[in-house]
Amino acid sequence: MIDFTLTEDQLALQDMAREFAEKEMRPKAARYDQGHEFPEDVMRKAFEVGFLTCTIPAELGGGGLGDLETAIISEELCRGCAGMYTTMMANSLAFTPILLAGTAEQKKKFLTPFTQKMAFASYCLTEREAGSDNAAIRTTAKKAGGEYVINGSKCFITNGGVASLYVVFANAAPEKGLRGLSAFIVPRETPGISVGKVEDKMGHRASNTTELFFEDVRIPAENLVGREGAGFLIAMKTFDKTRADVGAAGVGIARAALEYAIEYAKTRVQFGKPIAIYQAIMFKIADMATEIDAARLLVWRAAWLADHGKPCGRESAMAKLFGTDLGMRVTTEALQIFGGYGYMRDYPVEKLMRDAKLLQIYEGTNEIQRLVIGREVIGPIRERK
Ligand SMILES: Cc1cc2nc3c(=O)[nH]c(=O)nc-3n(C[C@H](O)[C@H](O)[C@H](O)COP(=O)(O)OP(=O)(O)OC[C@H]3O[C@@H](n4cnc5c(N)ncnc54)[C@H](O)[C@@H]3O)c2cc1C
């Protein structure tokens, strides 16, 4: 039986995230966007209500949320401000490899402190020459006695400049290519780490995105997550779990854009009538609302599968692809409904459009999602010589 009813707990969580987005995030979104400033005051409140640690198990002091609950709050929070949402959810992204493949001691030692005071974490996969192509990662982790020595650099790392903990993907056996990749827990205070360029971004400007350098960074061997060589698998399993949330974020931005567009279309009068009456506008709004509902269903399906421990690579890629392409389409159409006013910074829709763009790029570009989906849908292809 299919049941779309949320439980009382899920509804309460949804309400809490919606209220937080409306009261704490939205009123400050334009200011932090324009100032390209880290929203520390909002994050402090987000920590207090548990959004920075929502996926850490309850027994470690976290929220213990499942995948569906995380998707539900992702939609609500991103409706408030995508940049602030990205800051919060980058924590969950960094925690996921530890939750999936870490030992009980690693979880206790490295995740519990996040539940005790406000702190941030980063997931460090991307490099200048290795974006979509993880096999090209050049950061190395050389085993030396009871330690690994990490050398290399990462780019475009969310929370890079504010994090107290990095989960770093590095190659411990470069001759093995992807099969040499491993994941390591690297505390920020370890000597040899430096933060490079802070990126000046088109959107998500409240989030902090930086380069990171690792020069002879020595970490104990017990900071290896899972086994040596399992890094690529851990990175992909992480994305299987987190990509539905990016799809949900697309739905949240789209919902915000639709709400602003409806309000505007009902009050903007041209040719003596509110423009919402004209079919050109009404049909846009109907399509936006329909696609938002469709995207949410894809997101919830992927999250449900993840919650039940079922394979969900294809479904979470579909949720990310459709939800974030939808975010771009809907924000573009909303801006069109605002006409020239939409193009001005005085109105909120241009920010939504700038923010929507990033969701099509991070956690694997949407071209890569199509590769994931296409390969699974088509199956093996025998090339003819
Ligand atoms: C603001 C921001 C925050 C980010 N945060 C993080 C973070 O916290 N941690 C992290 O590790 N990374 C992060 N990233 C990096 C992000 O995941 C990468 O930018 C993304 O994976 C794409 O890599 P790239 O930018 O090098 O593009 P490239 O891989 O160079 O791709 C360029 C273009 O080619 C296309 N392309 C590449 N290969 C193929 C192919 N085989 N088939 C078809 N098309 C292809 C891509 O889809 C894209 O359109 C962030 C990026 C940004 C912009």
Side-chain angles (χ1 to χ4, degrees), residues 340-362:
Y341 296 95
Y343 203 68
M344 304 303 157
R345 297 215 170 197
D346 304 335
Y347 290 81
V349 283
E350 62 82 31
K351 174 184 184 293
L352 296 176
M353 189 174 161
R354 286 186 283 111
D355 286 343
K357 188 66 212 164
L358 178 60
L359 301 178
Q360 295 179 302
I361 295 171
Y362 70 19

PDB file of all heavy atoms in Angstrom, residues 340-362:
ATOM      1  N   GLY A 340      10.486  43.053 -15.604  1.00  0.00           N
ATOM      2  CA  GLY A 340      11.707  43.808 -15.306  1.00  0.00           C
ATOM      3  C   GLY A 340      12.014  43.886 -13.822  1.00  0.00           C
ATOM      4  O   GLY A 340      13.179  43.898 -13.414  1.00  0.00           O
ATOM      5  N   TYR A 341      10.967  43.883 -13.003  1.00  0.00           N
ATOM      6  CA  TYR A 341      11.180  43.979 -11.548  1.00  0.00           C
ATOM      7  C   TYR A 341      11.929  42.745 -11.031  1.00  0.00           C
ATOM      8  O   TYR A 341      12.719  42.817 -10.101  1.00  0.00           O
ATOM      9  CB  TYR A 341       9.839  44.151 -10.816  1.00  0.00           C
ATOM     10  CG  TYR A 341       9.183  45.453 -11.205  1.00  0.00           C
ATOM     11  CD1 TYR A 341       8.223  45.493 -12.225  1.00  0.00           C
ATOM     12  CD2 TYR A 341       9.562  46.647 -10.595  1.00  0.00           C
ATOM     13  CE1 TYR A 341       7.651  46.690 -12.617  1.00  0.00           C
ATOM     14  CE2 TYR A 341       8.984  47.851 -10.984  1.00  0.00           C
ATOM     15  CZ  TYR A 341       8.041  47.871 -11.997  1.00  0.00           C
ATOM     16  OH  TYR A 341       7.479  49.054 -12.384  1.00  0.00           O
ATOM     17  N   GLY A 342      11.665  41.600 -11.673  1.00  0.00           N
ATOM     18  CA  GLY A 342      12.315  40.362 -11.255  1.00  0.00           C
ATOM     19  C   GLY A 342      13.823  40.426 -11.410  1.00  0.00           C
ATOM     20  O   GLY A 342      14.559  39.742 -10.702  1.00  0.00           O
ATOM     21  N   TYR A 343      14.271  41.249 -12.357  1.00  0.00           N
ATOM     22  CA  TYR A 343      15.707  41.349 -12.647  1.00  0.00           C
ATOM     23  C   TYR A 343      16.441  42.221 -11.630  1.00  0.00           C
ATOM     24  O   TYR A 343      17.661  42.263 -11.597  1.00  0.00           O
ATOM     25  CB  TYR A 343      15.862  41.924 -14.064  1.00  0.00           C
ATOM     26  CG  TYR A 343      17.180  41.600 -14.716  1.00  0.00           C
ATOM     27  CD1 TYR A 343      17.499  40.298 -15.074  1.00  0.00           C
ATOM     28  CD2 TYR A 343      18.121  42.604 -14.962  1.00  0.00           C
ATOM     29  CE1 TYR A 343      18.705  39.999 -15.661  1.00  0.00           C
ATOM     30  CE2 TYR A 343      19.341  42.317 -15.552  1.00  0.00           C
ATOM     31  CZ  TYR A 343      19.621  41.007 -15.894  1.00  0.00           C
ATOM     32  OH  TYR A 343      20.824  40.709 -16.469  1.00  0.00           O
ATOM     33  N   MET A 344      15.669  42.922 -10.826  1.00  0.00           N
ATOM     34  CA  MET A 344      16.240  43.876  -9.865  1.00  0.00           C
ATOM     35  C   MET A 344      16.479  43.209  -8.508  1.00  0.00           C
ATOM     36  O   MET A 344      15.698  42.368  -8.086  1.00  0.00           O
ATOM     37  CB  MET A 344      15.305  45.079  -9.662  1.00  0.00           C
ATOM     38  CG  MET A 344      14.969  45.798 -10.952  1.00  0.00           C
ATOM     39  SD  MET A 344      16.454  46.358 -11.806  1.00  0.00           S
ATOM     40  CE  MET A 344      15.848  46.487 -13.489  1.00  0.00           C
ATOM     41  N   ARG A 345      17.537  43.674  -7.846  1.00  0.00           N
ATOM     42  CA  ARG A 345      17.871  43.072  -6.539  1.00  0.00           C
ATOM     43  C   ARG A 345      16.874  43.421  -5.449  1.00  0.00           C
ATOM     44  O   ARG A 345      16.920  42.853  -4.367  1.00  0.00           O
ATOM     45  CB  ARG A 345      19.273  43.507  -6.112  1.00  0.00           C
ATOM     46  CG  ARG A 345      20.268  42.997  -7.097  1.00  0.00           C
ATOM     47  CD  ARG A 345      21.584  42.601  -6.526  1.00  0.00           C
ATOM     48  NE  ARG A 345      22.261  41.934  -7.640  1.00  0.00           N
ATOM     49  CZ  ARG A 345      23.291  41.150  -7.544  1.00  0.00           C
ATOM     50  NH1 ARG A 345      23.807  40.915  -6.392  1.00  0.00           N
ATOM     51  NH2 ARG A 345      23.822  40.599  -8.597  1.00  0.00           N
ATOM     52  N   ASP A 346      15.993  44.406  -5.729  1.00  0.00           N
ATOM     53  CA  ASP A 346      14.992  44.774  -4.717  1.00  0.00           C
ATOM     54  C   ASP A 346      13.981  43.649  -4.507  1.00  0.00           C
ATOM     55  O   ASP A 346      13.269  43.627  -3.499  1.00  0.00           O
ATOM     56  CB  ASP A 346      14.207  46.017  -5.164  1.00  0.00           C
ATOM     57  CG  ASP A 346      15.124  47.177  -5.476  1.00  0.00           C
ATOM     58  OD1 ASP A 346      16.231  47.191  -4.916  1.00  0.00           O
ATOM     59  OD2 ASP A 346      14.747  48.042  -6.294  1.00  0.00           O
ATOM     60  N   TYR A 347      13.879  42.756  -5.477  1.00  0.00           N
ATOM     61  CA  TYR A 347      12.903  41.659  -5.384  1.00  0.00           C
ATOM     62  C   TYR A 347      13.644  40.336  -5.156  1.00  0.00           C
ATOM     63  O   TYR A 347      14.793  40.182  -5.594  1.00  0.00           O
ATOM     64  CB  TYR A 347      12.063  41.604  -6.672  1.00  0.00           C
ATOM     65  CG  TYR A 347      11.127  42.775  -6.784  1.00  0.00           C
ATOM     66  CD1 TYR A 347      11.578  44.011  -7.253  1.00  0.00           C
ATOM     67  CD2 TYR A 347       9.805  42.669  -6.372  1.00  0.00           C
ATOM     68  CE1 TYR A 347      10.728  45.102  -7.321  1.00  0.00           C
ATOM     69  CE2 TYR A 347       8.949  43.762  -6.436  1.00  0.00           C
ATOM     70  CZ  TYR A 347       9.412  44.977  -6.909  1.00  0.00           C
ATOM     71  OH  TYR A 347       8.567  46.046  -6.956  1.00  0.00           O
ATOM     72  N   PRO A 348      12.979  39.383  -4.518  1.00  0.00           N
ATOM     73  CA  PRO A 348      13.731  38.182  -4.087  1.00  0.00           C
ATOM     74  C   PRO A 348      14.001  37.136  -5.170  1.00  0.00           C
ATOM     75  O   PRO A 348      14.802  36.244  -4.950  1.00  0.00           O
ATOM     76  CB  PRO A 348      12.813  37.594  -3.009  1.00  0.00           C
ATOM     77  CG  PRO A 348      11.451  38.075  -3.346  1.00  0.00           C
ATOM     78  CD  PRO A 348      11.599  39.396  -4.014  1.00  0.00           C
ATOM     79  N   VAL A 349      13.379  37.247  -6.339  1.00  0.00           N
ATOM     80  CA  VAL A 349      13.470  36.095  -7.265  1.00  0.00           C
ATOM     81  C   VAL A 349      14.817  35.959  -7.971  1.00  0.00           C
ATOM     82  O   VAL A 349      15.223  34.865  -8.325  1.00  0.00           O
ATOM     83  CB  VAL A 349      12.320  36.059  -8.307  1.00  0.00           C
ATOM     84  CG1 VAL A 349      11.050  35.567  -7.674  1.00  0.00           C
ATOM     85  CG2 VAL A 349      12.138  37.379  -8.993  1.00  0.00           C
ATOM     86  N   GLU A 350      15.527  37.072  -8.182  1.00  0.00           N
ATOM     87  CA  GLU A 350      16.830  36.935  -8.872  1.00  0.00           C
ATOM     88  C   GLU A 350      17.810  36.141  -8.013  1.00  0.00           C
ATOM     89  O   GLU A 350      18.591  35.343  -8.521  1.00  0.00           O
ATOM     90  CB  GLU A 350      17.387  38.295  -9.332  1.00  0.00           C
ATOM     91  CG  GLU A 350      17.698  39.311  -8.229  1.00  0.00           C
ATOM     92  CD  GLU A 350      19.045  39.100  -7.563  1.00  0.00           C
ATOM     93  OE1 GLU A 350      19.957  38.621  -8.243  1.00  0.00           O
ATOM     94  OE2 GLU A 350      19.162  39.423  -6.355  1.00  0.00           O
ATOM     95  N   LYS A 351      17.731  36.302  -6.701  1.00  0.00           N
ATOM     96  CA  LYS A 351      18.591  35.501  -5.802  1.00  0.00           C
ATOM     97  C   LYS A 351      18.242  34.021  -5.913  1.00  0.00           C
ATOM     98  O   LYS A 351      19.130  33.158  -5.972  1.00  0.00           O
ATOM     99  CB  LYS A 351      18.438  35.977  -4.349  1.00  0.00           C
ATOM    100  CG  LYS A 351      19.192  35.079  -3.351  1.00  0.00           C
ATOM    101  CD  LYS A 351      18.963  35.489  -1.908  1.00  0.00           C
ATOM    102  CE  LYS A 351      19.763  34.675  -0.909  1.00  0.00           C
ATOM    103  NZ  LYS A 351      19.368  33.267  -0.819  1.00  0.00           N
ATOM    104  N   LEU A 352      16.948  33.743  -5.974  1.00  0.00           N
ATOM    105  CA  LEU A 352      16.533  32.335  -6.062  1.00  0.00           C
ATOM    106  C   LEU A 352      17.090  31.701  -7.330  1.00  0.00           C
ATOM    107  O   LEU A 352      17.545  30.557  -7.336  1.00  0.00           O
ATOM    108  CB  LEU A 352      15.003  32.230  -6.048  1.00  0.00           C
ATOM    109  CG  LEU A 352      14.308  32.708  -4.774  1.00  0.00           C
ATOM    110  CD1 LEU A 352      12.795  32.632  -4.926  1.00  0.00           C
ATOM    111  CD2 LEU A 352      14.745  31.882  -3.568  1.00  0.00           C
ATOM    112  N   MET A 353      17.080  32.487  -8.427  1.00  0.00           N
ATOM    113  CA  MET A 353      17.578  31.949  -9.702  1.00  0.00           C
ATOM    114  C   MET A 353      19.094  31.704  -9.624  1.00  0.00           C
ATOM    115  O   MET A 353      19.589  30.672 -10.071  1.00  0.00           O
ATOM    116  CB  MET A 353      17.251  32.951 -10.815  1.00  0.00           C
ATOM    117  CG  MET A 353      17.507  32.438 -12.195  1.00  0.00           C
ATOM    118  SD  MET A 353      16.906  33.679 -13.366  1.00  0.00           S
ATOM    119  CE  MET A 353      17.805  33.166 -14.801  1.00  0.00           C
ATOM    120  N   ARG A 354      19.808  32.631  -8.998  1.00  0.00           N
ATOM    121  CA  ARG A 354      21.273  32.449  -8.846  1.00  0.00           C
ATOM    122  C   ARG A 354      21.558  31.237  -7.954  1.00  0.00           C
ATOM    123  O   ARG A 354      22.471  30.465  -8.207  1.00  0.00           O
ATOM    124  CB  ARG A 354      21.911  33.706  -8.228  1.00  0.00           C
ATOM    125  CG  ARG A 354      22.022  34.876  -9.177  1.00  0.00           C
ATOM    126  CD  ARG A 354      22.784  36.038  -8.559  1.00  0.00           C
ATOM    127  NE  ARG A 354      22.033  36.817  -7.597  1.00  0.00           N
ATOM    128  CZ  ARG A 354      22.252  36.869  -6.282  1.00  0.00           C
ATOM    129  NH1 ARG A 354      23.242  36.176  -5.750  1.00  0.00           N
ATOM    130  NH2 ARG A 354      21.520  37.637  -5.496  1.00  0.00           N
ATOM    131  N   ASP A 355      20.754  31.102  -6.898  1.00  0.00           N
ATOM    132  CA  ASP A 355      20.970  29.985  -5.967  1.00  0.00           C
ATOM    133  C   ASP A 355      20.645  28.643  -6.624  1.00  0.00           C
ATOM    134  O   ASP A 355      21.333  27.639  -6.380  1.00  0.00           O
ATOM    135  CB  ASP A 355      20.085  30.151  -4.717  1.00  0.00           C
ATOM    136  CG  ASP A 355      20.595  31.241  -3.777  1.00  0.00           C
ATOM    137  OD1 ASP A 355      21.776  31.639  -3.903  1.00  0.00           O
ATOM    138  OD2 ASP A 355      19.811  31.693  -2.918  1.00  0.00           O
ATOM    139  N   ALA A 356      19.594  28.632  -7.432  1.00  0.00           N
ATOM    140  CA  ALA A 356      19.174  27.361  -8.052  1.00  0.00           C
ATOM    141  C   ALA A 356      20.289  26.779  -8.912  1.00  0.00           C
ATOM    142  O   ALA A 356      20.473  25.562  -8.974  1.00  0.00           O
ATOM    143  CB  ALA A 356      17.923  27.585  -8.893  1.00  0.00           C
ATOM    144  N   LYS A 357      21.070  27.638  -9.543  1.00  0.00           N
ATOM    145  CA  LYS A 357      22.091  27.158 -10.486  1.00  0.00           C
ATOM    146  C   LYS A 357      23.080  26.198  -9.843  1.00  0.00           C
ATOM    147  O   LYS A 357      23.447  25.171 -10.438  1.00  0.00           O
ATOM    148  CB  LYS A 357      22.842  28.366 -11.087  1.00  0.00           C
ATOM    149  CG  LYS A 357      23.798  28.020 -12.209  1.00  0.00           C
ATOM    150  CD  LYS A 357      23.051  27.503 -13.424  1.00  0.00           C
ATOM    151  CE  LYS A 357      23.862  26.485 -14.170  1.00  0.00           C
ATOM    152  NZ  LYS A 357      23.101  25.676 -15.127  1.00  0.00           N
ATOM    153  N   LEU A 358      23.508  26.500  -8.625  1.00  0.00           N
ATOM    154  CA  LEU A 358      24.543  25.668  -7.994  1.00  0.00           C
ATOM    155  C   LEU A 358      24.068  24.231  -7.762  1.00  0.00           C
ATOM    156  O   LEU A 358      24.844  23.285  -7.851  1.00  0.00           O
ATOM    157  CB  LEU A 358      24.990  26.290  -6.660  1.00  0.00           C
ATOM    158  CG  LEU A 358      26.026  25.489  -5.874  1.00  0.00           C
ATOM    159  CD1 LEU A 358      27.305  25.293  -6.682  1.00  0.00           C
ATOM    160  CD2 LEU A 358      26.342  26.164  -4.549  1.00  0.00           C
ATOM    161  N   LEU A 359      22.750  24.100  -7.493  1.00  0.00           N
ATOM    162  CA  LEU A 359      22.243  22.754  -7.185  1.00  0.00           C
ATOM    163  C   LEU A 359      22.405  21.816  -8.381  1.00  0.00           C
ATOM    164  O   LEU A 359      22.464  20.597  -8.225  1.00  0.00           O
ATOM    165  CB  LEU A 359      20.770  22.838  -6.772  1.00  0.00           C
ATOM    166  CG  LEU A 359      20.457  23.718  -5.555  1.00  0.00           C
ATOM    167  CD1 LEU A 359      18.951  23.744  -5.296  1.00  0.00           C
ATOM    168  CD2 LEU A 359      21.185  23.234  -4.310  1.00  0.00           C
ATOM    169  N   GLN A 360      22.478  22.379  -9.593  1.00  0.00           N
ATOM    170  CA  GLN A 360      22.693  21.536 -10.787  1.00  0.00           C
ATOM    171  C   GLN A 360      24.158  21.116 -10.929  1.00  0.00           C
ATOM    172  O   GLN A 360      24.495  20.309 -11.778  1.00  0.00           O
ATOM    173  CB  GLN A 360      22.283  22.306 -12.053  1.00  0.00           C
ATOM    174  CG  GLN A 360      20.796  22.624 -12.138  1.00  0.00           C
ATOM    175  CD  GLN A 360      20.484  23.399 -13.406  1.00  0.00           C
ATOM    176  OE1 GLN A 360      21.039  24.469 -13.643  1.00  0.00           O
ATOM    177  NE2 GLN A 360      19.609  22.854 -14.231  1.00  0.00           N
ATOM    178  N   ILE A 361      25.025  21.734 -10.085  1.00  0.00           N
ATOM    179  CA  ILE A 361      26.471  21.498 -10.245  1.00  0.00           C
ATOM    180  C   ILE A 361      27.055  20.652  -9.117  1.00  0.00           C
ATOM    181  O   ILE A 361      27.799  19.700  -9.370  1.00  0.00           O
ATOM    182  CB  ILE A 361      27.209  22.865 -10.342  1.00  0.00           C
ATOM    183  CG1 ILE A 361      26.776  23.605 -11.606  1.00  0.00           C
ATOM    184  CG2 ILE A 361      28.734  22.667 -10.313  1.00  0.00           C
ATOM    185  CD1 ILE A 361      27.258  25.038 -11.699  1.00  0.00           C
ATOM    186  N   TYR A 362      26.731  21.004  -7.848  1.00  0.00           N
ATOM    187  CA  TYR A 362      27.446  20.266  -6.787  1.00  0.00           C
ATOM    188  C   TYR A 362      26.813  18.906  -6.481  1.00  0.00           C
ATOM    189  O   TYR A 362      25.746  18.602  -6.942  1.00  0.00           O
ATOM    190  CB  TYR A 362      27.732  21.119  -5.559  1.00  0.00           C
ATOM    191  CG  TYR A 362      26.609  21.579  -4.633  1.00  0.00           C
ATOM    192  CD1 TYR A 362      25.366  20.987  -4.598  1.00  0.00           C
ATOM    193  CD2 TYR A 362      26.851  22.621  -3.750  1.00  0.00           C
ATOM    194  CE1 TYR A 362      24.388  21.420  -3.713  1.00  0.00           C
ATOM    195  CE2 TYR A 362      25.880  23.062  -2.850  1.00  0.00           C
ATOM    196  CZ  TYR A 362      24.661  22.447  -2.841  1.00  0.00           C
ATOM    197  OH  TYR A 362      23.699  22.863  -1.973  1.00  0.00           O
TER     198      TYR A 362
END
